[in-house]
Amino acid sequence: MPQIPVHFEYRTGLRHIVLRNMRLTGSWDAAGRSSAQWSTVPMESFTADDGCPAFRATIEFAADAVGNTFHWSVVAETAAGESISAIPTEPSAADATEPVRAFVLAGADQIERYHLTHCRRLGANRLERPGAPPAVRFAVWAPYAQKVELVRGLLSGAENDKGGYIFDDGRGIKETAPMHREPDGVWSTRPEDLPEGGLLTAYDHTLYMFRITRDDGSIVYRTDLYSRCQIGSGNVDPARDPSWCGCRRSLDGTKSCSVMVDPARGVTTNFESTVFPETEWTAEEEFWRDEFDPARPVPRRLEDLVIYELHVDGLAAGQAARGRLKDAMAMLPYLRDLGVNAIELMPLSEYEGWASWGYGSSHYLAIEYAGGGRDQFKHFVRECHRHGMAVIMDVVYNHYIKDAERAEWAYDSTAPERNIYYWYEGKPGDYRFPEGGYIDNQSTGWAPRFFEENVRKLFCSSAAMLVDEFHVDGFRVDQTTSLHSYAVLHADGRAANTARIFGQKFLREWTRTVRLVRPDVILIAEDHSGWPAVTQPTAAGGLGFDAAWYAEHYHQLIGDATNDSQRARLLKFAGYGDDRPLAMSWFAGTLAASTQGRVVYHESHDEAGNSSYEENGRKVHSARTIVTAVNGAPLVGATRDVAEARVRVVAALSLLGPATPMFFMGEEVGASQPYRYDDFIDHRENFPALRDTWGARLFGFYRDVIALRRESPALRSHALDILHVHDANRVLAFRRATDGDAPGGELLVIASLANHAYAAGYRIAHPALADGQWREVLNSDAPMYGGSGLVNQALVESQHGAVTVLLPATAVVVLQRS
């Protein structure tokens, strides 16, 4: 009987991914017929026409199997020799969770191709041609379009700053080329249809867009959602501002032209130049060659991190109109002196406007041009690694920018049910108003259309690119709860359960993808659901994150962003200055609940002025920690001393607990200005300058407590024993320990928010306290921090399960067993 060959290809779309012992497995037997027992064959490696690693195999199927449905997958081998699925994508069905592919056998030489990412499939990419110079290929997903054309924008060159925008009437177009539809709704160019034969060198830094004839015949211009660069460093949309100067630097990058950038070319060395396009380049291998300093290893475990949340736009106070990545690089010696070893960057994907928090992303493979762009970001990551710091990127997948015209909105159709990047249920006629079918998820704008594999793949590809090309070490995913728990129908608020299921599907695919690219990547979710599955492995049905933000820690410890009577709100109530009891026991319970899979913080960008609640008919805003510490009183004289003392206590309770600690930039020097999303640019503070003035004492304390945590195995462990808690005395004590009898393996942390000292000693009794001697290794009341100097100079004895310690007012004392 004749055989029907089917060719299977697995394409990575990533130049540096390492996959071992790739094998094709599928639901057929040796004769090429359907079988419940899957067959497995090795795959041959090859370099695909996008220049990236790929794998292939051919299977001979029986002729009488035509019309049958087969399932297949690809298996890889880890460095430890374990077999894992190399296909992270699940079928686009609500009840299907097994990551496998399916096809119907149709005929000879059928090709079944899987793309791990679309990094080199969609967008503007290099096309390798045997025996010929590389060409360029433009491709876009537009399944409902009647016609798609590539349009190139006018580029005046390096001598001036003109161009960069294509108007809806076609002004600004230099030339046009046809695009051809593929069966899956992807449109692409062919080299022979492009001027100059589509030579890659002729299209370097080309400004381009797609002219799309939508399903109703209307014509729109859309940017490339896979572009590596969006031109423009400003906030001008010429469609709304007829006074536009014609300068590309003033453009809002979410509305302007996309830029053809070849990731394989190398890294720009003259990134601070105003010249576009850049002219000086370093080969990629050479650029990354000296990325690491053996004397300062970059941490790879969640437990070893001390995270500094950094907002690039908010830097350069008093020096520039806004911060850029070069200003973040200038901060690195300061941060190394502080001792943090991980920097969590607020979002840097292309966002709307000139300066922003970044939580409205438009182009997920482009680094915000106004902040420095893609090559400056590579320089930043390399410098972080040379300083021994991991880079964690904050990414946002629960919504797009609010005004996504020219980006995701109505990309190739005017029908809401065909709005390919937005989830819409049913048809407009099902609702009283057309918007009723969209999905709300407690974020800005409608929810993404996660039932489309290509939408899920956009976000997965972006993260994979950041790991592969930019060497990012980890991610913090914004509001994952919006994806798996919050979705409701806009029309009436009914639970959108299918959208929630697909949100879970997307998160599983996303974590699988980035772990396939880099197994030790650090994955953190901003998740407020308390759902255990968030931090469980995907193989066990979980979402696959290492940890989740634990907002409860902040609310119990600080509490200025809520008036919830069921939370301790320790600093908020201590800030009144009286001797009322504090719910130390409530916070102790929160501390005990943070021993596994948690990132805790005493300040984040959300709480530094942006949160609010209603109290007695007025809106109360959150504030910086040092402001909350004295309930907004002027930070001068004795009031400042008290504020700093309280800040030292809450900082220590975060930094010395069992969870991974994080804090927002400026906390270490007592930054006091509110940091709100709408006016942060007017409230920036110069942190190095504060360190050299009245922030010096606080900086010194942060530096010492961070050093203690990083040097102590006990403080980096998950072990925690609450030894003592007394609400009226406002005292909490806990034990941190490692397994075994290693030196320095046991510490006692005693925190007091009492306004008076226990100068005669404070007794703590607990069965876990064995007899022995303890040495004080940290005391926040030391004179160098601005304290009174009540310290435990002599060794402290513990006997019969009890220890008595000199305990200053509003202080943290740390004892280490000798």
Side-chain angles (χ1 to χ4, degrees), residues 22-37:
M22 298 288 279
R23 288 152 286 158
L24 172 69
T25 179
S27 61
W28 52 78
D29 59 19
R33 293 186 174 88
S34 297
S35 172
Q37 185 71 36

Side-chain angles (χ1 to χ4, degrees), residues 746 767-774 796-802 817-818:
E746 186 175 1
L769 273 173
D771 292 353
Q773 292 185 323
W774 300 79
V796 177
E797 293 271 353
S798 58
Q799 293 181 333
H800 310 298
R817 183 183 290 279
S818 296

Side-chain angles (χ1 to χ4, degrees), residues 165-230:
Y165 189 82
I166 294 173
F167 289 86
D168 288 338
D169 59 9
R171 282 177 293 151
I173 294 177
K174 175 184 176 183
E175 60 193 29
T176 304
M179 300 184 75
H180 305 272
R181 183 186 172 97
E182 299 171 18
D184 58 357
V186 170
W187 298 73
S188 60
T189 59
R190 296 170 183 166
E192 59 269 23
D193 293 331
L194 296 174
E196 301 182 71
L199 277 176
L200 181 67
T201 52
Y203 282 77
D204 178 56
H205 283 70
T206 284
L207 304 184
Y208 69 98
M209 293 185 75
F210 300 118
R211 182 162 64 196
I212 296 177
T213 304
R214 296 189 291 196
D215 54 357
D216 66 347
S218 61
I219 295 176
V220 291
Y221 291 87
R222 292 290 179 258
T223 54
D224 177 9
L225 298 184
Y226 276 81
S227 77
R228 305 306 180 99
C229 175
Q230 290 296 118

